[in-house]
Amino acid sequence: MHQIHELNLSYRGECGNFHILGEIPVNLSHFRVTILFLERSENNRYRAKIDLYENKEIERFCYEILESEYGLDFQTIRNDFRLLIEQLENHRNKLFQKTVRKRSKSSLEKKEKDEINTILLSPHLLKELDVLLENAGIIGENANRLLLFLVAVSYRSPFPLHAIIQSASGAGKSHLLKVLSQCLPSNDVISITRMTGKSLYYYNNQELINKSIFIQDLDGLKDEALFSFRELQSEKSVSISSTYKDRLGNFCSKVRTVEAHFSSIASTTKTTIYQDNLNRSIPIQLDESQEQSRRIIEYQNKQIAGEINAEKQLFAIMQLQHLVKQLNHVNVINSFAPHIHLPENTHYSRRTNLQLQHLILLITFIHQHQRNKDKHGNLIVNRVDVEAAIELFIPVIELKIDDLDGQTRLFYEKLKTLLINQNKTSFSQAEIRKSMNLSKTQTFRFIQKLINYEYIFIISGTANKGFVYQLNSEDNYNSQHRAIKTHFAKIIENVKALDLPL
């Protein structure tokens, strides 16, 4: 990145020269800039005002460049933009250090280091992280944001985790992924909008080592891409056998292997996810309540009115980035592991058990600057780590045990409350659609799933005139919920009673 003057930054990519005209925005919710692009031939110039955090705008600009000159390919242009964004973010961080904090570079680094060390040594480290995530721009989602951050950071540990966020369209998945990715060192983040079937086989051997991958929309990945992604999650490598011609023109075969060590967070609007994809990940259901909507709208309005402190937001993100850099790859030993087990009716218990055990190890890993080590240098899990992990994991267990996915369960609980408030025992799709302000397609999909799982049944009506439905009184969701909490409360009591070294 070359600064011609303060209102003109120049970056030379493989496709041509990019000039960023005007001031760099400080507001972290967007990165809207004016770009002047000069092709390698310098015969054509393109000007556009785009948000570098909006993938669709970048892709549209890339296709315009692609159409202008023979020889350019989309991936090269897209890679130029990725590097450009990294350079601009680094430049913005430097501007922040100079203009906001107004201290010398050496004293700034020392102060930041002292602040990060204070946080890492805090007995309330997880709460400190949660506050930083809120200051970084993640509004609400108290039950999810810390768990998702731990999943994202797990690539720094020997036991990476994966998560899938499920929610309706417009619930805030993209914003959540964007902020979480900003809270990690930019060089460690791979953000993916689309993925071709065989693209994962052609990464260089170290490109997927110690990375955190964010997939904006899991629905956009084809089956072959999902297959290779699952193999990388489970086996940490994929191999492909392909043919090529040698110097004499003879066909030969070769095997290409890609090694990987990464964490991942993907999002989807689908209520039904292929089980092989889902059971490798921790399912997360976003808060779609009216209270959460009010919190987000209030934040949006304050942001538009200029009442959000952008400097405080940027500082929280920088703190989280520096904190992640202080985490060193170290092994963890959990002596409490044999005493921790899942409820008997947990689906896919083998992988779910491993996820819980790895989450416990991860929380100890996050506390590595304040936990004891054994004679071999392994970190030793503390009782409080077990308790913290279980508290974060209980909502995950509830989702895994429930017959219904998160969105359908939310719909069903709202339906029960609505019927109680209206003193009704039966209902039609039209009534529910109007009362809940849902589309016809959404309502139909939820109703069909509830019928399939026998949570509701048809009592009258026809397909032409519409059916009338009634709830099945045998739903034991609340008793299941209480049983899960009781189960883990007993485990925590047993762990506290164990006389094991810390």
Side-chain angles (χ1 to χ4, degrees):
M1 181 67 66
H2 172 64
Q3 183 170 341
I4 299 176
H5 56 76
E6 61 180 6
L7 298 180
N8 190 345
L9 298 175
S10 174
Y11 172 75
R12 180 182 293 275
E14 292 187 36
C15 299
N17 293 327
F18 296 82
H19 290 269
I20 310 302
L21 309 177
E23 295 184 353
I24 301 297
V26 180
N27 193 328
L28 298 181
S29 65
H30 63 81
F31 211 150
R32 184 165 290 280
V33 296
T34 300
I35 292 183
L36 168 64
F37 174 74
L38 305 174
E39 293 186 40
R40 289 173 298 189
S41 62
E42 299 193 1
N43 293 326
N44 294 320
R45 298 185 175 203
Y46 292 90
R47 292 180 178 85
K49 193 175 186 68
I50 65 174
D51 190 343
L52 295 177
Y53 285 162
E54 292 293 338
N55 288 312
K56 290 183 179 179
E57 292 188 24
I58 293 176
E59 289 181 1
R60 184 168 59 250
F61 189 68
C62 288
Y63 280 120
E64 290 178 3
I65 297 174
L66 187 65
E67 294 173 356
S68 65
E69 180 181 351
Y70 180 78
L72 297 180
D73 66 274
F74 178 82
Q75 192 58 42
T76 303
I77 302 170
R78 193 65 179 84
N79 190 55
D80 274 353
F81 266 99
R82 182 179 62 81
L83 296 174
L84 171 64
I85 293 170
E86 289 180 6
Q87 294 284 341
L88 286 173
E89 286 181 329
N90 292 335
H91 180 73
R92 180 168 64 175
N93 288 343
K94 291 178 182 178
L95 288 178
F96 175 78
Q97 293 172 2
K98 291 179 181 179
T99 61
V100 178
R101 306 186 69 180
K102 298 179 180 179
R103 294 178 182 164
S104 67
K105 186 175 180 181
S106 58
S107 63
L108 176 66
E109 290 179 348
K110 183 179 184 305
K111 179 173 175 57
E112 283 184 347
K113 186 176 180 179
D114 291 341
E115 290 174 347
I116 294 302
N117 287 338
T118 301
I119 295 173
L120 287 170
L121 294 172
S122 170
H124 308 292
L125 174 57
L126 295 181
K127 291 183 179 179
E128 298 262 10
L129 290 175
D130 193 54
V131 171
L132 286 175
L133 290 169
E134 183 175 21
N135 293 339
I138 302 178
I139 306 305
E141 297 297 345
N142 300 55
N144 293 324
R145 64 190 177 199
L146 180 58
L147 177 57
L148 284 170
F149 179 73
L150 292 174
V151 170
V153 171
S154 64
Y155 74 96
R156 305 280 296 192
S157 74
F159 21 82
L161 292 170
H162 310 275
I164 292 180
I165 301 173
Q166 291 178 279
S167 74
S169 179
K173 299 183 297 297
S174 298
H175 174 74
L176 183 57
L177 288 179
K178 182 190 297 184
V179 177
L180 284 170
S181 65
Q182 289 173 348
C183 294
L184 304 179
S186 58
N187 291 336
D188 297 346
V189 174
I190 299 176
S191 184
I192 297 173
T193 304
R194 290 182 65 253
M195 186 190 300
T196 58
K198 296 182 180 179
S199 62
L200 289 172
Y201 296 101
Y202 293 97
Y203 276 92
N204 292 333
N205 201 34
Q206 298 297 313
E207 280 188 290
L208 296 180
I209 300 293
N210 294 333
K211 299 293 182 183
S212 189
I213 298 178
F214 292 82
I215 300 177
Q216 302 296 331
D217 191 351
L218 196 66
D219 308 344
L221 272 62
K222 295 184 178 180
D223 290 342
E224 189 172 0
L226 287 171
F227 170 77
S228 54
F229 190 70
R230 290 196 302 270
E231 289 302 303
L232 285 173
Q233 287 177 314
S234 300
E235 304 300 328
K236 306 295 189 296
S237 68
V238 289
S239 299
I240 185 172
S241 177
S242 57
T243 58
Y244 70 100
K245 284 186 177 182
D246 61 16
R247 293 179 180 179
L248 301 176
N250 300 316
F251 282 101
C252 302
S253 297
K254 64 177 179 179
V255 175
R256 179 182 178 84
T257 301
V258 177
E259 304 289 337
H261 180 92
F262 64 89
S263 62
S264 70
I265 301 178
S267 69
T268 180
T269 57
K270 288 185 176 179
T271 57
T272 302
I273 304 175
Y274 183 51
Q275 286 301 331
D276 267 5
N277 299 325
L278 186 59
N279 61 30
R280 285 173 169 81
S281 301
I282 296 173
I284 302 292
Q285 176 63 43
L286 291 191
D287 184 357
E288 299 180 35
S289 65
Q290 290 296 327
E291 291 77 13
Q292 173 67 359
S293 297
R294 280 195 289 270
R295 284 192 289 265
I296 292 175
I297 291 171
E298 182 181 352
Y299 180 83
Q300 291 171 341
N301 293 343
K302 286 183 178 180
Q303 194 173 56
I304 293 171
E307 298 177 10
I308 300 297
N309 190 336
E311 297 169 3
K312 181 180 179 181
Q313 187 181 15
L314 179 58
F315 183 57
I317 288 176
M318 290 175 61
Q319 280 188 306
L320 288 167
Q321 289 177 349
H322 288 301
L323 186 145
V324 172
K325 290 178 182 178
Q326 300 303 314
L327 299 175
N328 301 313
H329 194 92
V330 59
N331 198 29
V332 185
I333 297 298
N334 181 11
S335 302
F336 302 103
H339 306 278
I340 299 167
H341 55 276
L342 302 174
E344 292 183 358
N345 55 342
T346 304
H347 301 320
Y348 304 100
S349 57
R350 297 180 184 181
R351 280 183 172 152
T352 304
N353 175 71
L354 203 57
Q355 289 167 354
L356 174 56
Q357 295 287 2
H358 281 178
L359 182 59
I360 295 170
L361 299 179
L362 180 60
I363 289 179
T364 303
F365 175 82
I366 293 290
H367 289 83
Q368 62 182 250
H369 296 278
Q370 50 183 292
R371 291 291 181 261
N372 296 328
K373 293 184 178 180
D374 63 15
K375 61 182 180 181
H376 302 293
N378 301 314
L379 289 172
I380 303 175
V381 170
N382 195 301
R383 295 184 183 92
V384 295
D385 302 333
V386 176
E387 189 172 353
I390 287 176
E391 183 180 350
L392 288 172
F393 206 73
I394 282 177
V396 176
I397 294 293
E398 291 173 349
L399 283 173
K400 283 180 173 282
I401 286 181
D402 197 358
D403 292 330
L404 305 177
D405 61 87
Q407 291 185 56
T408 308
R409 169 56 65 182
L410 183 63
F411 169 83
Y412 185 58
E413 294 302 312
K414 286 181 178 179
L415 174 60
K416 290 193 295 185
T417 303
L418 181 65
L419 293 177
I420 291 173
N421 292 339
Q422 295 180 354
N423 196 24
K424 288 184 176 181
T425 58
S426 61
F427 61 94
S428 67
Q429 283 196 41
E431 292 171 342
I432 297 306
R433 189 170 67 248
K434 292 175 182 178
S435 299
M436 293 190 180
N437 194 26
L438 297 173
S439 69
K440 187 175 181 179
T441 303
Q442 281 179 310
T443 308
F444 177 78
R445 188 188 309 124
F446 288 137
I447 292 294
Q448 287 302 118
K449 183 164 288 189
L450 291 174
I451 291 174
N452 291 340
Y453 284 97
E454 298 180 346
Y455 280 79
I456 64 175
F457 53 89
I458 299 171
I459 58 174
S460 63
T462 63
N464 292 331
K465 296 182 179 180
F467 294 106
V468 177
Y469 307 90
Q470 187 170 314
L471 299 181
N472 187 342
S473 59
E474 295 181 2
D475 177 31
N476 59 348
Y477 176 73
N478 291 328
S479 60
Q480 266 191 348
H481 180 80
R482 289 190 297 269
I484 292 170
K485 290 202 167 185
T486 302
H487 172 86
F488 283 111
K490 289 180 179 177
I491 287 178
I492 291 173
E493 288 178 8
N494 294 337
V495 165
K496 288 180 178 178
L498 292 173
D499 186 21
L500 293 176
L502 299 179

